[in-house]
Amino acid sequence: MSVPSPLRMSVLGGIWRLRTLCAARPDLTPSEAAQLLARGRAIDAGYDYAGTLEACSHLSFVLHALPDDRVQLLRFVIRLSLLELQPPWGVALPYGRSPTFRLLSEDEQQCFLAAGLLDENPSEDVVRWWDELALARRWDLNASNLETGRRAEQLSMEHERQRLQSAGRPDLNPVLVAIDDNTLGYDIRSFEPDGSPRYIEVKGCSAPPLMFFLSRNEWGAASRLKDQYEVHVWDLSGSKQITIGFRDLSHHIPADQGHGRWHQLKIGVPQGDGGGGANADIF
């Protein structure tokens, strides 16, 4: 079940007033304090206390422990909303303020503005706030990418076991070498039915369009191993697998120019490609 965004000024203002009253009246529960405020002065009654109490239930903060400075409180709640609710705008954080701003709703933009997070000349505190959030988001993305990669590796391991068993060689066991050394340029060491080696780099995509990144180190391994090397690209949304061999990869490798050296390629795989990958394109 999706959780409504707490990033509305009517909600954040309510959190601020609720925090102030609960700090002064520790005998009140948040619900009791919200009722008092809703029946009080017009400046207090205009806040969305139902949304405020809902935000309190979904975010892991204690009212009386929130910052007593209004701007710091806004920044704290915005940060917590990203870390715990993972809103859509979080994907843009590693790319800076402008891409993030474009993904914010009007309500969210008002919250960021009120928190001083969009000032033209940001203070060191604001720069640090953005940097910490960008790092947290990158960590989340890296963790997600690692999970996707491990799922794809397990599918390739099962694929190889079944292939060898169908070929009458259940005695040959593929090995997931990436768990011990991820610098080899391939993830799995497997076999052909005649016992000769096969080296497999595994890529996983959680949703279309299918694409993968090939590093210079992986291409170096492919260049050494040639036809013994292949890439398994998994569409994890449907557990479909596409195999791209060395010769198909070689058509898409750029040449170094002058003092420039490429380090990573982004390669797209057309949907419906059943297993040659010959039409893979570099983006």
Side-chain angles (χ1 to χ4, degrees):
M1 183 179 67
S2 61
V3 177
S5 172
L7 299 188
R8 304 189 303 277
M9 287 307 301
S10 60
V11 170
L12 296 190
I15 293 175
W16 166 249
R17 292 300 298 132
L18 205 60
R19 182 249 179 249
T20 302
L21 181 56
C22 286
R25 292 281 308 275
D27 57 304
L28 295 175
T29 66
S31 180
E32 291 170 340
Q35 291 176 21
L36 282 177
L37 289 167
R39 296 195 302 264
R41 300 175 304 167
I43 192 172
D44 290 331
Y47 291 120
D48 177 6
Y49 290 107
T52 295
L53 292 173
E54 187 173 30
C56 291
S57 69
H58 289 303
L59 296 176
S60 59
F61 61 75
V62 179
L63 273 170
H64 68 265
L66 287 172
D68 57 7
D69 178 84
R70 185 174 182 273
V71 169
Q72 294 302 321
L73 181 144
L74 296 181
R75 293 178 186 176
F76 179 87
V77 176
I78 293 171
R79 180 180 185 276
L80 203 60
S81 298
L82 168 73
L83 298 178
E84 298 190 355
L85 302 182
Q86 299 187 1
W89 52 265
V91 300
L93 270 169
Y95 305 102
R97 292 200 304 178
S98 294
T100 303
F101 182 81
R102 289 194 289 269
L103 292 185
L104 297 175
S105 67
E106 289 187 14
D107 285 332
E108 290 167 337
Q109 290 175 5
Q110 287 300 315
C111 294
F112 274 71
L113 285 165
L117 296 172
L118 299 173
D119 292 348
E120 186 175 351
N121 296 305
S123 66
E124 289 185 13
D125 285 346
V126 170
V127 172
R128 189 180 306 111
W129 188 94
W130 281 98
D131 286 345
E132 289 175 354
L133 267 290
L135 287 172
R137 182 59 186 170
R138 287 190 188 102
W139 188 92
D140 288 341
L141 290 173
N142 288 338
S144 177
N145 290 340
L146 180 60
E147 181 181 359
T148 297
R150 292 304 188 210
R151 284 176 57 201
E153 287 168 357
Q154 291 305 316
L155 287 171
S156 278
M157 286 289 289
E158 183 59 29
H159 175 275
E160 287 301 290
R161 292 188 191 103
Q162 292 181 4
R163 181 182 62 82
L164 290 167
Q165 186 169 3
S166 297
R169 296 302 306 268
D171 56 309
L172 297 176
N173 295 310
V175 179
L176 180 61
V177 296
I179 196 70
D180 294 315
D181 188 347
N182 63 5
T183 67
L184 298 173
Y186 53 87
D187 298 311
I188 294 172
R189 185 173 63 248
S190 189
F191 301 92
E192 301 293 351
D194 63 4
S196 59
R198 172 187 283 195
Y199 301 92
I200 302 167
E201 174 63 26
V202 183
K203 307 291 184 180
C205 298
S206 56
L210 292 183
M211 51 75 62
F212 64 95
F213 289 96
L214 186 77
S215 71
R216 192 179 186 95
N217 181 55
E218 290 160 356
W219 173 243
S223 299
R224 293 191 306 273
L225 300 168
K226 295 195 168 24
D227 290 337
Q228 294 178 323
Y229 187 97
E230 64 188 27
V231 177
H232 285 186
V233 183
W234 286 94
D235 175 1
L236 296 177
S237 64
S239 296
K240 291 166 46 180
Q241 185 261 343
I242 295 170
T243 298
I244 302 178
F246 165 74
R247 296 179 187 277
D248 292 313
L249 282 178
S250 65
H251 297 316
H252 309 289
I253 305 301
D256 294 332
Q257 298 289 336
H259 296 293
R261 287 167 56 85
W262 70 270
H263 289 282
Q264 190 176 64
L265 303 178
K266 182 179 179 182
I267 301 178
V269 181
Q271 293 190 45
D273 189 343
N279 295 321
D281 297 317
I282 296 175
F283 287 82

